[in-house]
Amino acid sequence: MKKLLYFIIPIIIGVLFAFGLDKLLDNANNKLMQEKNLVPLMGQYASDIKDKGVIINKEFLSQDAIMMLGSSELRHATKQHPTRYFNTNRSKDKVFTIGRPLTEELQDAITLGSTGSSVKDKKVVLLVSLQWFVHKDGISPKDFQSRFSPVQFYAFLNNPNISKESKIELVNRVSELLKGSDEYKSERLYAMLYNNDSFIGKAEKIALWPYFKLREKEVILKEKGLLYNRLKKLIDKTKKSEKLKKPIDWEAEEKLALKDAKKRVGDTPHKYDKKYYNKTLKPNLEKLKDKYANVNLLESKEMDDYKYFLKIAKENKADLTVVIMPVSPWYYDYTGIDKNERIEFYDTIGNLAKKDGFKVMDLRDKEDEDYYLRDVMHLGTRGWLDVSKKLYEQYDEGKVFNK
């Protein structure tokens, strides 16, 4: 009996400590989120607190901030980044960005679904890039694992607004993409057992239920601790930080964007940024010829993931706007994806979103516009200005850009 107590008492103490710490962090984080100026965190690029978290994203949505989901285009590469317009007290809306390189449609769906009822009727913007669809098998397991979030995964599966069918679809995909991962063995096993109704499967789920609940509590507690450490570093809100400024002068911003672009581009071909053209594109031009000649954008697994994202957005009743971003026509003609293929892609992306009742900002007509892109696929000074202005007009002035 004494030996048994030696085993049980530390477990009880550990559970009580974890429970107390959980409540302590809840109270501390709630207090900090009310006291701190969260704007710098809204616009921070490649932030695990947002990209792999749940709590802060729900808080931003509760403040009616725009959730902008994207990938590498969200880096602060130009002065015209959307946070400069929306997070400077010149708009009634603020924006928080989620995404970094290798973040694609499936991860966006998990992120959105992890917010639960918080995203209902809230403004969500999805930036869709053609380059994600050039790979037939979609996102690779390695890339998916680098962006995977256990806390978002469990929150997604606990979301009552998501159908059982959609949850099964996710666990089937996740169980494949997490194959070979040592870090996420628990989540892969959970995904594999989630819809296993065989006798052995049910027995394993019952036997492992305490372990999975413990794992879920562990990742949630870790998120709360990371959030607390990040919030502590933010400055307090002040009257000055919340004071409204003059409205955005879009004509002045257009002149600034043009001036910035000319300085960045110089005399490079196709008006790409000098640094990008000389260091990344020019040395590889020969081997890029017809690289995507055999690609069918519409048959990529990424298209299935895009449809899945729309399904999750619809089930959660998000107020979604899909932004179809243009690409450099010269580059994609050169690499083997001609204009007709691109038009078919743009049409498909837009029509799928409209079919589900979502808004679409179709920027295909900007393919040939000078300085709209800073390279072959990422928005440049005039591109970000245009997207930000359209979103501002849509949300602040009620305009709609469906075509």
Side-chain angles (χ1 to χ4, degrees):
M1 182 65 181
K2 188 178 289 187
K3 289 183 178 179
L4 186 60
L5 287 174
Y6 286 146
F7 177 73
I8 293 176
I9 290 174
I11 293 177
I12 294 173
I13 293 173
V15 170
L16 290 174
F17 175 78
F19 180 80
L21 181 60
D22 183 69
K23 294 301 179 185
L24 186 68
L25 285 171
D26 276 344
N27 293 333
N29 284 335
N30 288 336
K31 187 172 184 290
L32 288 170
M33 285 190 291
Q34 300 308 312
E35 294 176 349
K36 296 293 183 177
N37 180 4
L38 302 179
V39 171
L41 184 52
M42 286 182 170
Q44 185 178 351
Y45 175 67
S47 164
D48 281 351
I49 297 300
K50 295 182 296 178
D51 295 358
K52 295 190 175 186
V54 174
I55 300 168
I56 198 65
N57 296 337
K58 286 185 174 183
E59 174 61 25
F60 290 150
L61 288 168
S62 75
Q63 297 178 17
D64 290 325
I66 302 165
M67 173 188 270
M68 182 174 283
L69 300 166
S71 187
S72 55
E73 66 276 352
L74 289 173
R75 72 173 75 247
H76 292 259
T78 71
K79 295 177 184 177
Q80 288 69 33
H81 195 273
T83 55
R84 180 175 178 268
Y85 300 117
F86 289 98
N87 294 351
T88 52
N89 293 338
R90 296 184 290 170
S91 164
K92 69 179 183 181
D93 295 295
K94 287 185 171 59
V95 64
F96 66 105
T97 58
I98 299 177
R100 64 180 84 180
L102 308 180
T103 302
E104 297 183 20
E105 311 285 4
L106 184 60
Q107 183 55 54
D108 289 332
I110 297 172
T111 300
L112 182 72
S114 71
T115 61
S117 298
S118 298
V119 80
K120 182 181 178 182
D121 299 326
K122 300 299 183 180
K123 308 176 190 77
V124 178
V125 173
L126 176 70
L127 306 172
V128 180
S129 302
L130 178 149
Q131 68 267 22
W132 299 344
F133 297 78
V134 299
H135 304 293
K136 184 177 180 180
D137 296 326
I139 192 167
S140 70
K142 180 181 177 182
D143 292 343
F144 178 78
Q145 290 167 25
S146 72
R147 297 291 172 260
F148 180 72
S149 164
V151 72
Q152 289 185 350
F153 174 68
Y154 290 118
F156 183 102
L157 294 177
N158 290 331
N159 183 348
N161 301 313
I162 298 175
S163 67
K164 184 67 179 293
E165 178 189 42
S166 294
K167 291 176 181 178
I168 292 171
E169 197 172 340
L170 178 73
V171 295
N172 289 340
R173 191 96 166 89
V174 166
S175 64
E176 287 297 315
L177 290 169
L178 291 185
K179 191 179 294 184
S181 169
D182 290 329
E183 185 177 1
Y184 303 123
K185 281 183 177 179
S186 299
E187 284 66 44
R188 181 167 189 260
L189 179 59
Y190 188 88
M192 292 172 68
L193 292 174
Y194 186 84
N195 194 44
N196 188 336
D197 290 328
S198 67
F199 176 78
I200 295 176
K202 289 179 178 179
E204 286 183 320
K205 278 189 280 189
I206 293 171
L208 291 172
W209 183 86
Y211 168 75
F212 287 129
K213 294 307 293 183
L214 189 62
R215 170 64 174 168
E216 182 180 346
K217 296 297 183 184
E218 175 193 354
V219 297
I220 291 172
L221 189 61
K222 181 180 178 181
E223 181 200 8
K224 291 177 180 179
L226 292 172
L227 177 60
Y228 174 73
N229 287 331
R230 182 67 184 90
L231 291 173
K232 279 197 309 180
K233 297 175 183 178
L234 297 174
I235 62 173
D236 289 344
K237 281 192 290 191
T238 64
K239 289 183 179 180
K240 183 178 180 181
S241 66
E242 297 184 307
K243 185 178 179 181
L244 292 177
K245 298 179 181 178
K246 292 181 180 179
I248 301 167
D249 184 340
W250 292 109
E251 289 187 13
E253 292 295 336
E254 174 67 28
K255 292 177 182 177
L256 178 61
L258 189 58
K259 181 181 177 181
D260 288 347
K262 289 179 177 178
K263 185 177 179 180
R264 294 167 65 100
V265 168
D267 59 356
T268 56
H270 316 295
K271 293 185 170 57
Y272 301 141
D273 282 8
K274 288 179 286 188
K275 184 177 179 181
Y276 166 79
Y277 181 79
N278 292 323
K279 292 188 176 182
T280 303
L281 186 59
K282 188 176 180 180
N284 297 298
L285 274 176
E286 188 174 333
K287 61 184 179 183
L288 287 170
K289 178 66 176 172
D290 293 327
K291 179 181 179 180
Y292 301 130
N294 296 318
V295 164
N296 187 324
L297 298 170
L298 305 187
E299 292 181 359
S300 170
K301 185 67 177 177
E302 192 66 27
M303 187 62 73
D304 294 331
D305 288 343
Y306 171 68
K307 293 175 185 176
Y308 183 73
F309 174 89
L310 295 176
K311 184 179 182 182
I312 297 305
K314 189 172 183 178
E315 288 184 350
N316 286 276
K317 296 180 171 57
D319 179 10
L320 176 66
T321 297
V322 173
V323 178
I324 306 175
M325 295 193 293
V327 293
S328 167
W330 171 82
Y331 175 80
Y332 280 95
D333 286 343
Y334 182 78
T335 54
I337 299 177
D338 64 27
K339 185 173 183 178
N340 289 332
E341 292 176 282
R342 297 197 301 275
I343 288 174
E344 188 177 14
F345 170 80
Y346 296 143
D347 285 344
T348 301
I349 293 296
N351 290 336
L352 284 169
K354 292 175 186 177
K355 182 181 176 182
D356 282 333
F358 300 127
K359 295 181 281 291
V360 175
M361 187 189 299
D362 188 342
L363 303 174
R364 72 177 76 189
D365 60 337
K366 303 296 184 179
E367 276 197 349
D368 289 305
E369 186 170 306
D370 288 349
Y371 312 119
Y372 204 86
L373 299 170
R374 60 184 172 85
D375 52 34
V376 301
M377 63 185 74
H378 295 110
L379 293 173
T381 61
R382 297 186 72 191
W384 266 129
L385 173 66
D386 184 48
V387 170
S388 296
K389 183 181 179 183
K390 282 182 166 65
L391 289 174
Y392 177 88
E393 290 174 340
Q394 176 174 308
Y395 294 132
D396 272 51
E397 301 174 8
K399 291 184 179 180
V400 179
F401 293 92
N402 265 351
K403 291 186 177 181

